[in-house]
Amino acid sequence: MGQRMQAAGGCLIAVVGAGAGLAVWTIGLQGRFRRFEQGPDWSVVYAELPLMVLGGVAAALGLWALGRRVRARR
């Protein structure tokens, strides 16, 4: 596999990981964002959202690197 294909695969995996992190973040968002008899909790947006997206990217790239290492040992 060429270096360009590896780079494209890594970028694609990062985008998929970001999408997965975003999808996980949206589960139960309404309950976390709106508290009973309170205003909106904006920390959900500026703290949790970037952490979930970055966590998804890190997890996806970690799994990709692990897969490449396992495949290289064969």
Side-chain angles (χ1 to χ4, degrees):
M1 186 187 291
Q3 287 182 344
R4 288 184 181 181
M5 288 297 291
Q6 290 176 1
C11 290
L12 181 64
I13 292 295
V15 168
V16 169
L22 183 62
V24 170
W25 178 74
T26 60
I27 297 172
L29 178 64
Q30 188 67 21
R32 289 192 324 260
F33 188 68
R34 284 261 182 227
R35 303 288 182 192
F36 182 69
E37 293 185 2
Q38 294 179 354
D41 185 12
W42 290 104
S43 69
V44 171
V45 175
Y46 68 79
E48 289 181 13
L49 176 61
L51 289 175
M52 286 300 290
V53 171
L54 289 175
V57 169
L61 288 176
L63 287 174
W64 182 64
L66 181 65
R68 288 188 38 84
R69 178 175 283 198
V70 168
R71 193 178 318 153
R73 288 188 180 177
R74 289 184 184 180

